[in-house]
Every structure is written in structure tokens, then in C-alpha cells.
Amino acid sequence: MQRSSTDGVTVLWQTAPAPGPLTAVLSFGTGVRDETAPTLDVTRLVEALAMTRVGNRPHEFGSTVGEETTHFISTGTPDDITGFLHAVCSALGDLPLHDTAHTTRLLGIHAPLTCDHRGSAPLDARYGPHGLGLLAHQGPDTYARLRPDTARTHAATHFTRGNAVLTLDGPPPAGLTLPLPDGPRPHRPAPRLRAGTAGTWQQRQIDTVSLLLTSHAHEPAADAAAHVLGRRVEQNTHHTRGITDEPTHHRFLRDRLTLDRVLALHPADGHAEEAAEILWNEALDLARRGPTPDELAAFTTHPRDLHDCHHSHWTTPHRAFTAEHFGIPHHDARTLLAQHTAVTAQDVTHYLRRTLPDAVLVVPLDAAPRPATLHGTPLPSSTCWRFHTQHSPTPGTRFRPNPLRRATTPRHERAEYVLTSWGLVARDAQDEHPLRFDEIALMRHDGAGRIVLAGCGCTQHVHPDQVARGERLIAALDAAVPPHLVHTGP
């Protein structure tokens, strides 16, 4: 890869052009993980507003928003590339904010998914509705909360020349200009991990079973473990038993040194518990005994096949701009292949024994697996709801169901709340869920009620008609939540 600069933007390009038209990717080091619950999907809004200025063009072009990066892509002649990139950069510096209402309405109708949500459940369990955990909370309603000043601020902070990299599969065209706004690369702190979730299993309101394992950003043994574990689980749950679809792998950059790796599968109705136990037990078996020689051989053949495929000319540029954005050490394809080939069974077991104590297994609400640790003890559960009969009564003001609700609702469906100095505790007949005021990520008005996104990622619907003196409960919520976390619109 060659390196140069245009208008203060780093440009990476291959000296040996790929056959056919030129392809350029203008990438920005920003994505969903840089948003907050109130500004969720603002990156997608900025990207959509900029693309309205591009208009129709006779060549291939497009744009994408991911977890960590946003890309504007064009394929065509050198003149096509220069025209497209100039239009995008000019639009990012002067967004058509008068189109915000129209654009957010269209985004809400089409509801594009900026990222693959299948691997998001354990991220939500690990981080809550912050950073990578926000992936689980994207939906059509998020766009309605966005305002022009939110898009303006986000673009001015993240869509700058200091946070941009242009990558081409051939030399830069003559006359190329990138008139982006000035600005540095924003500081990206590592996401905050939720206490008490490492080395646990958890129930969520989902329809998938997934396992999160962490690794170094570049760790060939982790690549091997993910590949072998995926093949084993696929054989056991999909081909042999027919109780799940084929598992999928997902990689998320926690910080420049760490990856969160998720293996996810969709179980058939009634088989989530069985699928979860197979997934976890296969991981334990691999940690104890390691992969077989045949499994390692299949792993080393896999990256070689990828390297030989017709998309391989974009593998090196992709690694190059990722390294440029996030400071990850760059390794070329030949080096990676050699490192994968050198992985041993002992390397895989060492990696899994190190990472399983930090793993998170996430299952649907109707599944209650019995996973064990490497030492044979029960794997703790970090599920947010807990049996309130096992704890001392929470001191505070109790809001019981009103008389009509008590008369018309079965006992096991009745909800009540305890208002404390630090938050609310929601209760049903057996379980309770604490909701700390200082951890609320977002609160939406729903008529007289409130929908609260808690720090754990759970959503609580609090309505004054549910309990006696319910208006006092709503008043306490309104007083406790800062205005910038409150959405009062439709």
C-alpha cells in the first residue's frame, strides 16, 4: 500500500491497480458505537443527508454505516471518482438540514439496519445501552427522535478530515479534491463494561442463543477457536439434530487492542435451552481437549481460500484503513496465512481457558440452561430480574396496584413499584428489577406514562394507571431524569 495526503486527508492506494474500473472508499472512523441512546442512528442520518446531495450518477456508488466506520463508495472512471468524492465532502461540510424531517421519515419507513443485529444480544448484556450495546436498540422509532442540531453536531465532530481515510485500488486520480471540514480525530474511550456480567449466562427478550468471547485484536489462536467451535456447533445443532439454523460469527472492535467475538444461532421453538447447552459445552470441550489435527487443517485451508477469492484485492486495503483509523497493527495476507498455519491445538486451549472466565452466554427468556465453569461449578447467572423473596425488603415508598387492577388482574400478573432514594424497583409476584436513576439511558413519554431504558438494557414501561397514586411515581421519574435524556415527541 502506498500512502499520501490530499487536502489533509490520508490516502492509501495500491500501486498495482485492480483490473477494471477504479474503486474508492472514503471512510470515517465513526459508527453506532459513537452514539448515545438519545442520538441513536444519527450517523445513519448524516450519511443519508449527505447522499441526497450526491444525486443520480451514471456509475456505481453507495454508502454504509457500521459499528465503527462509515463508508462512501464509488466505482467508475477517474472523473467519476473525483466528482463523487467532491460531492460527498461538500455535502458533509454543509448538510441539507432542511431535509431532516423528510429524511428521518423515510428512514423510519424503510428502517435500514446499519449493522447485523444477530450478534448484538451479548453486547447489550455486556455494555447495556452504551457503545457497542446500542446495536440491540436500533429500530424505526429511533429516527423520529433525531433533530437537525443533533446531525449538525455529530457531523462537525466525526465527519472531518482528521477522522477520514481514502482508500483506492489504484493510483489517486489527477485533480482529486476532498474539501472536508477541518477537525481532529475524536477521542474514543473504551466502552464501559457492566459490573457482574463477565463469566455469566443471562436471559434476554430475544430469539437467539449467542456466546461472546473476547480476544486480542490480532490473535490467530482466537481465529482458530472461533472457526472450530462454529463448525462443531453447526454439525451438532444444525446438521445432526436440526434444531437451529447455521451459526454466524461476528467481530466487534471493543478498543484498539481487544475484539468481542460473538457466535450466534437461531433455535427452533422449544429448543433454545438445548442449543445453549450444546454451544457452551462444545466451548468447554474445546478448551479442555483442543481441536483435532483435521480441524486445524480445515481452519488453515479456510483463510487460504478467502485469500484466493476474487475479492482478495480489497482485503489488504480494508486492513490498511482499519489499522489507520484505530491504530491496530497491520498484517498483510501472506503474514496472516503463515500465522494461522502455525497455530497449534495447545494455542487454542490456552486462548479458551483464558477467555471463558470472561465469556457471556445469552439465551431467550424461556430457556434455563445449566452451564458449568471449567472447574465444574455452576456458571453464575447475571439476569437482571431476581427473586425478591431471597433479598431483604427494599426500603422506600411502595406503590401497589390500584383496586381496579387488583380486582381484574391475576395475582401473578400484578406489578408494583418501590420508590427509593436512588431509583425504582419494579416487582411482580416473584421477581424484581432495580432501575437506578443515575443509570437511565433514555426516557420516552408515552401519554401519561413513561418508557424507561435502564442501564442494563432492559425497557420498563411505567404508567400511572398501573398503581395507586401513580402520578407521584411519574413525578419522581420526571424529577430524576436529566432533560437531555428525555424524548417527548411522537
Side-chain angles (χ1 to χ4, degrees), residues 2-6 11-14 22 78 81-82 166 168-176:
Q2 299 295 309
R3 182 189 182 96
S4 60
S5 178
T6 298
V11 180
L12 306 174
W13 49 282
Q14 300 187 90
L22 181 66
I81 298 298
T82 57
L166 174 62
L168 305 105
D169 61 356
L176 176 66

Side-chain angles (χ1 to χ4, degrees), residues 338-425:
Q339 291 173 342
H340 284 171
T341 304
V343 171
T344 67
Q346 190 175 42
D347 294 334
V348 174
T349 60
H350 283 173
Y351 160 69
L352 285 170
R353 289 172 185 173
R354 186 191 82 227
T355 196
L356 278 176
D358 187 57
V360 181
L361 176 69
V362 183
V363 302
L365 292 176
D366 61 352
R370 293 174 292 278
T373 68
L374 281 166
H375 304 292
T377 57
L379 188 71
S381 171
S382 58
T383 297
C384 306
W385 287 87
R386 64 191 186 190
F387 290 110
H388 62 73
T389 55
Q390 296 178 355
H391 301 270
S392 301
T394 302
T397 304
R398 189 176 179 184
F399 290 81
R400 295 181 174 88
N402 58 43
L404 177 62
R405 201 167 187 84
R406 286 200 300 269
T408 59
T409 305
R411 183 178 179 83
H412 68 278
E413 295 181 5
R414 296 175 191 169
E416 67 176 35
Y417 297 91
V418 178
L419 176 64
T420 74
S421 60
W422 49 263
L424 290 179
V425 177

Side-chain angles (χ1 to χ4, degrees), residues 96-117:
L97 296 175
H98 58 277
D99 287 337
T100 300
H102 177 74
T103 303
T104 54
R105 186 164 56 250
L106 291 179
L107 290 173
I109 293 171
H110 296 294
L113 296 181
T114 57
C115 311
D116 189 339
H117 285 208

